[in-house]
Amino acid sequence: MKDLLFTNWHIMRIFRLAFAVFLFAQAYYTNEWFFIAFGLFFFIQAIFNTGCGPKGCTIPKK
Protein backbone atom coordinates (compact mmCIF):
# COMPACT_ATOMS: atom_id res chain seq x y z
CA MET A 1 0.00 0.00 0.00
CA LYS A 2 2.84 2.35 0.86
CA ASP A 3 4.48 1.68 -2.50
CA LEU A 4 1.22 2.38 -4.30
CA LEU A 5 0.85 5.76 -2.60
CA PHE A 6 4.42 7.01 -2.77
CA THR A 7 5.84 5.67 -6.03
CA ASN A 8 5.20 6.15 -9.73
CA TRP A 9 4.05 9.78 -9.61
CA HIS A 10 3.90 10.82 -13.26
CA ILE A 11 2.57 14.01 -14.83
CA MET A 12 -0.96 12.67 -15.40
CA ARG A 13 -1.26 11.55 -11.80
CA ILE A 14 -0.11 14.94 -10.54
CA PHE A 15 -2.54 16.64 -12.94
CA ARG A 16 -5.43 14.55 -11.57
CA LEU A 17 -4.50 15.52 -8.01
CA ALA A 18 -4.26 19.20 -8.93
CA PHE A 19 -7.60 19.04 -10.75
CA ALA A 20 -9.21 17.38 -7.72
CA VAL A 21 -7.92 20.15 -5.45
CA PHE A 22 -9.22 22.73 -7.95
CA LEU A 23 -12.66 21.09 -7.91
CA PHE A 24 -12.69 21.02 -4.09
CA ALA A 25 -11.83 24.73 -4.05
CA GLN A 26 -14.55 25.48 -6.59
CA ALA A 27 -17.07 23.58 -4.49
CA TYR A 28 -16.10 25.60 -1.46
CA TYR A 29 -16.05 29.05 -3.09
CA THR A 30 -19.16 28.64 -5.24
CA ASN A 31 -21.19 26.54 -2.77
CA GLU A 32 -21.88 24.11 -5.60
CA TRP A 33 -21.39 20.90 -3.70
CA PHE A 34 -21.71 18.56 -6.65
CA PHE A 35 -18.11 19.52 -7.51
CA ILE A 36 -17.14 17.44 -4.46
CA ALA A 37 -18.24 14.27 -6.26
CA PHE A 38 -16.12 15.09 -9.30
CA GLY A 39 -13.23 16.08 -7.07
CA LEU A 40 -13.44 12.79 -5.19
CA PHE A 41 -13.43 10.92 -8.48
CA PHE A 42 -10.18 12.54 -9.61
CA PHE A 43 -8.68 12.39 -6.10
CA ILE A 44 -9.19 8.63 -5.87
CA GLN A 45 -7.75 8.21 -9.36
CA ALA A 46 -4.68 10.19 -8.36
CA ILE A 47 -4.10 8.48 -5.01
CA PHE A 48 -4.56 4.92 -6.23
CA ASN A 49 -3.01 5.54 -9.67
CA THR A 50 -6.02 4.37 -11.62
CA GLY A 51 -7.61 5.98 -14.60
CA CYS A 52 -7.39 3.56 -17.43
CA GLY A 53 -9.15 0.28 -17.90
CA PRO A 54 -7.70 -3.07 -16.90
CA LYS A 55 -5.64 -3.25 -20.12
CA GLY A 56 -4.04 0.14 -19.53
CA CYS A 57 -3.95 3.18 -21.74
CA THR A 58 -2.33 1.62 -24.78
CA ILE A 59 -3.94 1.82 -28.16
CA PRO A 60 -4.55 -1.60 -29.75
CA LYS A 61 -2.24 -2.23 -32.72
CA LYS A 62 -4.87 -4.01 -34.81
Side-chain angles (χ1 to χ4, degrees):
M1 184 71 169
K2 186 177 177 182
D3 289 338
L4 179 66
L5 294 177
F6 295 112
T7 59
N8 197 18
W9 279 89
H10 48 80
I11 190 72
M12 195 63 201
R13 196 172 174 189
I14 294 168
F15 178 76
R16 285 185 193 122
L17 182 62
F19 192 60
V21 170
F22 170 76
L23 288 174
F24 290 147
Q26 285 297 310
Y28 179 75
Y29 288 120
T30 63
N31 290 328
E32 296 289 341
W33 300 108
F34 66 90
F35 283 124
I36 293 289
F38 294 113
L40 281 175
F41 174 75
F42 285 105
F43 185 76
I44 289 170
Q45 279 189 339
I47 294 299
F48 294 111
N49 197 18
T50 60
C52 295
K55 293 186 179 183
C57 296
T58 61
I59 298 171
K61 294 181 180 177
K62 293 184 180 179

